[in-house]
Amino acid sequence: MNLLAIECTHASLSVAVNRNGVANVVYGGEWSRTAETIMPLVQLALEESGTPKDRLDAVAVSSGPGSFTALRIGMSAAKGLAFGLGVPLVTVPTLPAMAAAALSFTSSSVIVPVIPSRKGEYYYACYRRAALEAGNPSDESQRGSIGDVVAAAVRSGHDAVIVFRSSEELLALSGNGAAAVLVADFFSAASILPEALRRAAEGRVVALSEAVPDYRQKFESGCLKK
């Protein structure tokens, strides 16, 4: 299956193309520049993978949680591509995808992926390795402070690891031994391809009229509200 995936929930933007089982990924800049760079990056990913756009079988996008603006832009781009090409759209929750991508980089039995929410708050969830390897992690994500993240990791097991992309608070944890941490610089659009391909093969696609980002918060008067 030829599938194009977009990941722009937070940190940097990336686009990946799976063509006949081979994944090719290209990276953009910061998510704040998503609007101006996402379509050129899609074109580059298609070109570098040698995949004509009319040979795509599906389009996938990480659905969040994450940055309100970047999520909206990424979802809009994915829906536009799927509509224009007449192919199915697949949405992939970001937290379990990040946790699954971490399996190759840690032996921990519990993986706690973290995504920044508003200032001082984070989205997080605790996933058992066995559930991730079986491809059926439950969605029990929460939002809280750095203290809440650490407490959840400690409760989950002595070898739990907190996985994140970037945060000064979380980076500080690696220096004080409060919890085991893993920087998720390996997470990209290529990381959501396995789940996207599985969902597409199973027919777990989303109607374009029903596909929405997983904001987890309401946007009101120029700021995010609970």
Side-chain angles (χ1 to χ4, degrees):
M1 178 180 290
N2 296 335
L3 185 147
L4 181 143
I6 296 172
E7 206 298 302
C8 59
T9 53
H10 66 300
S12 60
L13 163 68
S14 59
V15 178
V17 175
N18 177 87
R19 183 180 185 187
N20 299 324
V22 178
N24 182 81
V25 60
V26 294
Y27 298 87
E30 293 297 316
W31 61 261
S32 58
R33 299 185 62 223
T34 298
E36 62 193 271
T37 60
I38 190 167
M39 294 314 295
L41 206 63
V42 166
Q43 185 61 38
L44 179 61
L46 290 171
E47 291 175 355
E48 290 196 356
S49 66
T51 308
K53 61 182 181 181
D54 58 1
R55 296 295 299 276
L56 288 174
D57 298 303
V59 174
V61 61
S62 53
S63 58
S67 160
F68 182 93
T69 301
L71 273 174
R72 182 176 56 187
I73 294 171
M75 183 65 72
S76 296
K79 291 171 69 171
L81 286 166
F83 176 79
L85 298 173
V87 298
L89 175 68
V90 180
T91 57
V92 178
T94 307
L95 284 169
M98 180 182 286
L103 290 175
S104 299
F105 299 90
T106 178
S107 60
S108 295
S109 62
V110 178
I111 298 175
V112 185
V114 179
I115 295 175
S117 175
R118 67 176 76 191
K119 183 175 178 60
E121 290 186 347
Y122 304 86
Y123 301 109
Y124 66 97
C126 300
Y127 297 105
R128 297 286 174 182
R129 172 177 287 271
L132 291 168
E133 291 176 337
N136 61 353
S138 58
D139 184 9
E140 300 178 355
S141 58
Q142 304 176 64
R143 187 172 75 245
S145 67
I146 188 63
D148 293 327
V149 175
V150 174
V154 171
R155 287 195 303 269
S156 296
H158 70 280
D159 68 337
V161 61
I162 297 174
V163 182
F164 61 95
R165 272 181 166 173
S166 61
S167 166
E168 291 184 0
E169 288 181 282
L170 289 169
L171 282 170
L173 293 178
S174 61
N176 62 23
V181 298
L182 175 65
V183 178
D185 51 8
F186 50 80
F187 185 66
S188 71
S191 303
I192 72 172
L193 284 175
E195 180 64 17
L197 289 166
R198 180 163 45 248
R199 292 186 176 215
E202 295 173 353
R204 296 166 62 191
V205 300
V206 181
L208 298 185
S209 60
E210 299 177 1
V212 293
D214 185 8
Y215 291 130
R216 303 290 174 93
Q217 298 188 66
K218 295 181 180 180
F219 189 77
E220 298 177 13
S221 302
C223 63
L224 288 173
K225 301 285 188 178
K226 288 186 178 180

